[in-house]
Amino acid sequence: MCGICGCGQPEQNHAQHSHHGHEHHHHDEHETERLVRVEQDLLSKNNRYAEQNRAYFQRHGIFVLNLVSSPGAGKTTLLVETIKALKNDYRIAVIEGDQQTEHDADRIRASGVPALQINTGRACHLDAHGIGHAVKALNVEDNSLLAIENVGNLVCPSSFDLGEAHKVVVLSVTEGDDKPLKYPDMFHAADLMLLNKIDLLPYVDFDVERCLAYAKQVNPDIQVMPLSATRGENFAVWIDWLKHNLSVKDAA
């Protein structure tokens, strides 16, 4: 169950409504208090697992990225092209998160690196406990790059620390340029925003400057990289950012 949006909760918890007047009012207050406690407990427990993951990654020299976005922003294609650019020089592993299917993990494996698929069922995000188990099952090598492709969702993954070094939000120009204002928690939590599919800008109504201004309004420190994973525009900037961070990790 997700304490943020309630996904995975039994439907009966949402089913009672309006004809019991006063009693129902108290019921709603208690239900709200209960959900707040559940959310606090859930996030606190997740944060403890995330710190364990972070300590493990540091001990083993594993550089971890948590990629988040709406469905269809291009995370898997971005990862496939990233793997092509780096796999001859770096150890890479990928953890995929989707509600169902192995499709994305299959695409990653076809690119030549190990991948493990986590199917979350009704849940809308990955959590730190699951990532800890996945890292062991995948046998992620020391001194490697581990990319975690989170479930497509711009809400709940913002609150769940997985122990990553950086949360990277991928936004495509086929979405609205006001996404940073509509989903501020995600853009506030991210260190880096990849503005993907810029090759499609001539065909869509998307104001890049307005989008970047909104992102900076939500998070003045966020770094932004416009690029196209499929056409390669500006892709070298992303690869250079990865190489720099991998070298910093090695020097630490």
Side-chain angles (χ1 to χ4, degrees):
M1 183 197 75
C2 174
I4 306 301
C5 69
C7 71
Q9 276 195 308
E11 291 183 1
Q12 58 266 31
N13 286 345
H14 302 284
Q16 309 99 351
H17 277 275
S18 72
H19 45 277
H20 294 304
H22 184 72
E23 289 182 4
H24 184 66
H25 175 71
H26 285 296
H27 172 80
D28 284 348
E29 288 181 350
H30 292 317
E31 183 64 7
T32 300
E33 291 174 2
R34 187 189 71 82
L35 287 174
V36 169
R37 286 198 301 273
V38 168
E39 178 181 328
Q40 290 172 338
D41 291 346
L42 189 66
L43 291 177
S44 177
K45 185 177 180 181
N46 181 78
N47 287 342
R48 289 196 294 274
Y49 283 119
E51 286 307 313
Q52 292 175 16
N53 289 349
R54 188 168 286 108
Y56 179 88
F57 296 146
Q58 289 176 348
R59 284 199 305 275
H60 292 269
I62 301 170
F63 180 63
V64 183
L65 300 178
N66 179 6
L67 276 74
V68 292
S69 78
S70 301
K75 296 191 300 298
T76 310
T77 298
L78 178 91
L79 282 175
V80 168
E81 296 304 317
T82 300
I83 290 164
K84 289 179 184 175
L86 295 179
K87 68 178 182 181
N88 290 334
D89 299 314
Y90 298 92
R91 301 183 183 98
I92 303 173
V94 176
I95 296 172
E96 288 285 345
D98 283 300
Q99 287 190 305
Q100 298 292 342
T101 84
E102 289 257 335
H103 292 174
D104 287 353
D106 287 342
R107 286 182 64 190
I108 297 298
R109 293 185 193 109
S111 68
V113 304
L116 186 145
Q117 182 78 50
I118 298 176
N119 287 138
T120 60
R122 295 185 64 188
C124 59
H125 58 86
L126 297 172
D127 62 49
H129 189 222
I131 291 299
H133 283 291
V135 168
K136 299 291 176 61
L138 192 55
N139 195 24
V140 177
E141 295 184 274
D142 290 359
N143 303 310
S144 62
L145 166 63
L146 172 63
I148 301 169
E149 182 179 344
N150 216 313
V151 179
N153 176 0
L154 281 176
V155 183
C156 301
S158 68
S159 298
F160 284 79
D161 182 6
L162 304 180
E164 70 270 12
H166 297 282
K167 191 179 262 90
V168 179
V169 60
V170 182
L171 176 66
S172 75
V173 302
T174 53
E175 305 173 61
D177 51 30
D178 57 353
K179 281 285 179 70
L181 291 186
K182 287 183 173 178
Y183 302 96
D185 289 349
M186 182 60 79
F187 290 85
H188 186 266
D191 305 297
L192 173 64
M193 180 176 96
L194 301 180
L195 183 59
N196 193 21
K197 305 186 185 182
I198 60 171
D199 54 304
L200 298 179
L201 279 171
Y203 312 105
V204 296
D205 182 16
F206 187 97
D207 189 322
V208 172
E209 293 305 317
R210 184 163 54 198
C211 178
L212 302 192
Y214 288 155
K216 290 288 185 180
Q217 180 179 332
V218 170
N219 180 358
D221 297 324
I222 196 168
Q223 188 176 356
V224 179
M225 291 180 197
L227 56 80
S228 169
T230 55
R231 302 298 181 189
E233 293 175 53
N234 262 3
F235 204 72
V237 177
W238 160 242
I239 296 301
D240 287 345
W241 183 90
L242 285 169
K243 289 180 176 178
H244 171 74
N245 280 279
L246 285 162
S247 66
V248 169
K249 179 265 297 176
D250 290 339

